[in-house]
Amino acid sequence: MQKLFALFAALVLSAAAHAQTEVRLAVHSSFSLPKAAIAQFEKDNRAKVVVIKAGDAGEMLNKLILSRTKPIADAVYGIDNTSIGKAQQAGILADKQPASAPLNAAMPVIPAVDYGYVALNYDKQWFAQKKLLLPQSLQDLTKPQYKNLLVVPNPATSSPGLAFLLANIGGMGEEGAFQWWGKMRANGVKVAKGWSDAYYTDFTRNGGAYPLIVSYATSPAAEVYFSKGKYQTPPTGNLFLKGGVFRQVEGAAVLKGAQQPALAAKLVQWLQNRAVQQAVPSEMWVYPAVKGTPLPKVYEFAQTPKFTDSPSRADINSKQKQWVSRWTKTVLR
């Protein structure tokens, strides 16, 4: 009997020794990394990574704020330079964040993971068939010939949508930007909940009715990549128009009240390691933030804009809520 009890105890101890600690990572809907990379982290840290997809970036942040007294995750990926101020003001970030690797693009307070350029994309074939000249400015989009042609993600729920609004304000001034949006409402701008809905449902490249979309400067490269040889050059192009280009930087952070703060810190730093950074360009179609990370060949089709527009960081932090509310009243009500 004693031998049986000892064997049972040994089995229990062995199971405990090999048990995996669960660490939860909240992410936006565009998050994607190879399963092998995540599996390696799990093996190295004897952990189980639970990825919680919480909607588009704005929606994700709102969920984290609403659940801050009982966090739904231990760490978060996808807070960006448009929303970091809101995250800090809401008190959802741990006071101490892990150290960062050397970066091409930095974030305030938290380690950066990637960066990219929000801009207008257009469907080349649609414009060629209609024999319609491309708009040369945002003001052109308010003209009758461009009526019902543009789809945008909602800045209240989408980080690229918010980034585009901030570029508008940075490039045209607050009053000029909202006057433009009033004209765009009258000219048939379509508002989608998030980038995925806009790109995969409303954009003409995917069967929708809108040949202009707020997206990323890397989207044309992604079109070539996912065509698996069908396209040798991108079927879409970028429009880098004054007041319509924003440099977006995304980061990761440990959440205040994390159940596994030490493991969450390792997870945040892991998002900056070489394997993850090399996967970021062709998984999420953004640039790796860590210096020295090579880019895939298909990025020859990803143009880099010569300029970007943005309000000051202080204005973004203090006026963002007001701007989004004003945009909603101007465009949706």
Side-chain angles (χ1 to χ4, degrees):
M1 189 69 176
Q2 287 181 331
K3 288 183 178 179
L4 185 62
F5 179 79
L7 178 61
F8 176 74
L11 289 172
V12 170
L13 289 172
S14 176
H18 289 88
Q20 292 181 319
T21 303
E22 187 174 279
V23 60
R24 301 163 300 163
L25 178 66
V27 301
H28 55 55
S29 55
S30 297
F31 175 83
S32 176
L33 284 177
K35 290 181 180 179
I38 296 175
Q40 188 62 52
F41 175 86
E42 292 177 328
K43 180 180 177 182
D44 292 344
N45 293 279
R46 198 180 295 170
K48 174 64 178 176
V49 177
V50 177
V51 175
I52 302 169
K53 289 207 171 184
D56 277 1
E59 184 181 358
M60 176 189 73
L61 180 57
N62 289 337
K63 287 179 180 178
L64 293 176
I65 292 171
L66 289 172
S67 63
R68 60 181 175 267
T69 57
K70 191 176 181 181
I72 61 172
D74 300 292
V76 57
Y77 157 78
I79 291 177
D80 68 6
N81 53 332
T82 71
S83 59
I84 183 66
K86 183 177 179 181
Q88 287 179 281
Q89 291 164 11
I92 65 169
L93 305 179
D95 294 332
K96 185 178 180 182
Q97 296 294 332
S100 174
L103 299 171
N104 292 314
M107 278 279 286
V109 184
I110 66 175
V113 176
D114 59 73
Y115 68 100
Y117 299 96
V118 173
L120 292 175
N121 286 179
Y122 68 95
D123 181 343
K124 291 180 179 178
Q125 185 179 37
W126 190 95
F127 276 89
Q129 288 178 344
K130 300 293 183 181
K131 298 181 179 179
L132 180 62
L133 294 176
L134 291 170
Q136 300 301 301
S137 69
L138 290 181
Q139 293 302 331
D140 280 353
L141 291 176
T142 66
K143 296 177 179 178
Q145 59 266 43
Y146 299 105
K147 187 177 179 67
N148 299 325
L149 298 190
L150 175 64
V151 58
V152 302
N154 190 325
T157 52
S158 164
S159 62
L162 178 57
F164 185 67
L165 174 59
L166 295 178
N168 304 154
I169 294 169
M172 295 186 282
E174 183 173 347
E175 293 308 313
F178 285 105
Q179 288 173 11
W180 180 79
W181 275 107
K183 293 176 182 177
M184 288 303 297
R185 174 177 179 165
N187 215 35
V189 66
K190 168 70 183 294
V191 178
K193 180 182 177 181
W195 176 86
S196 296
D197 290 337
Y199 202 89
Y200 294 113
T201 301
D202 296 310
F203 191 32
T204 49
R205 289 302 315 168
N206 294 300
Y210 297 83
L212 290 166
I213 183 174
V214 171
S215 189
Y216 290 90
T218 49
S219 295
E223 288 282 354
V224 173
Y225 180 86
F226 287 113
S227 77
K228 297 181 179 179
K230 179 180 177 181
Y231 299 124
Q232 300 303 310
T233 58
T236 61
N238 289 308
L239 289 176
F240 296 142
L241 304 181
K242 178 65 178 173
V245 185
F246 187 89
R247 189 175 191 251
Q248 182 184 38
V249 185
E250 292 185 307
V254 179
L255 292 170
K256 184 172 287 187
Q259 293 179 8
Q260 301 293 337
L263 197 52
K266 289 183 179 181
L267 187 59
V268 168
Q269 287 190 311
W270 168 77
L271 289 168
Q272 290 191 329
N273 80 14
R274 188 169 180 83
V276 172
Q277 289 289 296
Q278 285 184 320
V280 157
S282 58
E283 288 285 338
M284 292 187 279
W285 296 96
V286 284
Y287 291 90
V290 176
K291 287 184 176 179
T293 307
L295 293 172
K297 187 177 185 301
V298 74
Y299 264 59
E300 65 185 328
F301 299 116
Q303 296 170 295
T304 302
K306 294 180 180 179
F307 64 88
T308 60
D309 286 299
S310 175
S312 69
R313 185 170 304 284
D315 281 350
I316 291 175
N317 291 344
S318 64
K319 297 182 180 181
Q320 182 184 137
K321 185 176 180 180
Q322 170 192 325
W323 287 336
V324 172
S325 177
R326 185 175 179 183
W327 179 91
T328 300
K329 292 175 182 177
T330 301
V331 181
L332 299 182
R333 292 179 185 170

